[in-house]
Amino acid sequence: MTSEITLFVNPTAGRGRGADAARPAACALRDAGHRVRTVVGVDAPDALARARDAVADGTGALVAVGGDGLVNLALHAVAGTRTPLGVVAVGTGNDFARALGLPVRDPAAAGRAVADALKGSRVRDIDLGRVGDRWFGTVLASGFDSRVNDRGNRMRRPAGRTKYDLAMLAELAAFRPFAYRIRLDGGEVREIEATLVAIGNGSSYGGGMRICPGADPTDGLFDVTVVGDCSRATLLRVFPRVYRGTHVEHPKVTVYRAAQVEIEAPGITGYADGEPLGALPLTARCVPGAARVIGP
């Protein structure tokens, strides 16, 4: 492995933490004897093109410094290659890092962890989800949660997480279950009324909401969490339990496991790693060993 490491940086991640985080991460890698170059794009397409160029040029590793949005771009650069991905998680959600047991919002510790793992050749293969030509590492969300994202993305104020808290309240006021058609691994079509359907390669989304608590990104299967046609009152009781992952014990919640999931529901947008994929219907495939990750 070449000693040159590429830092792939989102300077605006975590309200500006990305730019600050790059320095201690770079110092930790240089102290370990690596040469470090930094890639910053002017926008997402430019950033992805630069990351792909670094991978094509034979960088020893691509280290994403930012949140889940930047990690998602980095996955598109390394998926299907043997270039390992490191993560210095300094964004708002950081669910990809959480799923892999990596440091969160501690760039110096994350940089040291990447350097130590490279020294010990602690690199492992993980699965990724794929929808068309789009990859994801954590969760594909659809239903109530994606409607909250839709509404929050349309709101200009306030900034940060408060915007999505307000969007959730507005969606609760208009809450109704959705008519889904779901097919698992090419089997029979299930027609159900559901509040949401989450397809998990990783366990959490939204900054630690463990919507698919049993998901394992190395087993070749998704965990598919279906929250049924519960009332608004039931949703308010059940949803807070998602932070502990105990919502799956509720009788209105069912978990399936499958390598391919087809979902359809009118008026619903799919989001993966927090990024919009487009309107349903969508087909998600779990691709075993699609990416290499560094540590722990």
Side-chain angles (χ1 to χ4, degrees), residues 35 48 71 82 92 95 109 124 126 162-163 178 194 207 224 238 240 255 268 270 280 285:
R35 291 181 290 115
L48 177 56
V71 170
R82 303 309 292 164
T92 302
D95 289 292
R124 57 187 170 127
I126 65 164
T162 303
K163 176 169 64 174
F178 308 102
V224 185
V238 173
V255 178
I268 299 297
L280 272 56
R285 292 187 300 112

Side-chain angles (χ1 to χ4, degrees), residues 135-258:
W135 298 94
F136 66 95
T138 56
V139 177
L140 192 166
S142 73
F144 175 76
D145 42 10
S146 66
R147 292 291 288 268
V148 170
N149 264 330
D150 284 342
R151 185 181 290 269
N153 290 342
R154 292 194 300 267
M155 294 167 62
R156 301 184 65 180
R157 291 192 177 92
R161 299 188 72 88
T162 303
K163 176 169 64 174
Y164 292 95
D165 291 340
L166 292 175
M168 180 177 290
L169 291 174
E171 283 301 319
L172 277 171
F175 173 74
R176 60 177 176 79
F178 308 102
Y180 274 91
R181 291 168 56 87
I182 303 173
R183 186 197 301 266
L184 305 176
D185 289 333
E188 65 180 29
V189 174
R190 294 175 168 88
E191 297 190 1
I192 60 172
E193 294 286 315
T195 301
L196 64 85
V197 176
I199 302 171
N201 183 58
S203 59
S204 70
Y205 63 4
M209 292 190 288
R210 302 182 66 231
I211 188 68
C212 300
D216 177 354
T218 64
D219 65 359
L221 295 171
F222 294 125
D223 275 29
V224 185
T225 299
V226 178
V227 179
D229 59 343
C230 57
S231 66
R232 184 184 295 110
T234 299
L235 180 61
L236 285 169
R237 287 196 302 271
V238 173
F239 203 76
R241 294 168 57 179
V242 76
Y243 286 97
R244 301 188 304 275
T246 57
H247 61 291
V248 297
E249 300 166 5
H250 193 278
K252 286 289 186 180
V253 180
T254 306
V255 178
Y256 303 97
R257 305 187 78 227

Side-chain angles (χ1 to χ4, degrees), residues 4-14 17-23 25-26 29-30 35-55 59-79 83-91 94 96 107 110-111 114 273 275 294:
E4 182 181 88
I5 305 299
T6 301
L7 286 186
F8 184 38
V9 181
N10 179 0
T12 64
R17 285 193 297 266
D20 293 337
R23 288 188 286 272
L29 289 164
R30 290 191 179 103
R35 291 181 290 115
V36 178
R37 59 179 289 203
T38 300
V39 167
V40 181
V42 297
D43 54 23
D46 179 62
L48 177 56
R50 291 170 185 260
R52 282 176 165 157
D53 286 345
V55 170
T59 187
L62 187 68
V63 179
V65 184
D68 286 325
L70 188 79
V71 170
N72 182 266
L73 282 180
L75 289 173
H76 282 79
V78 302
T83 301
L85 174 66
V87 178
V88 176
V90 292
N94 304 312
F96 186 81
V114 171
D273 293 347
E275 302 297 314
I294 300 167

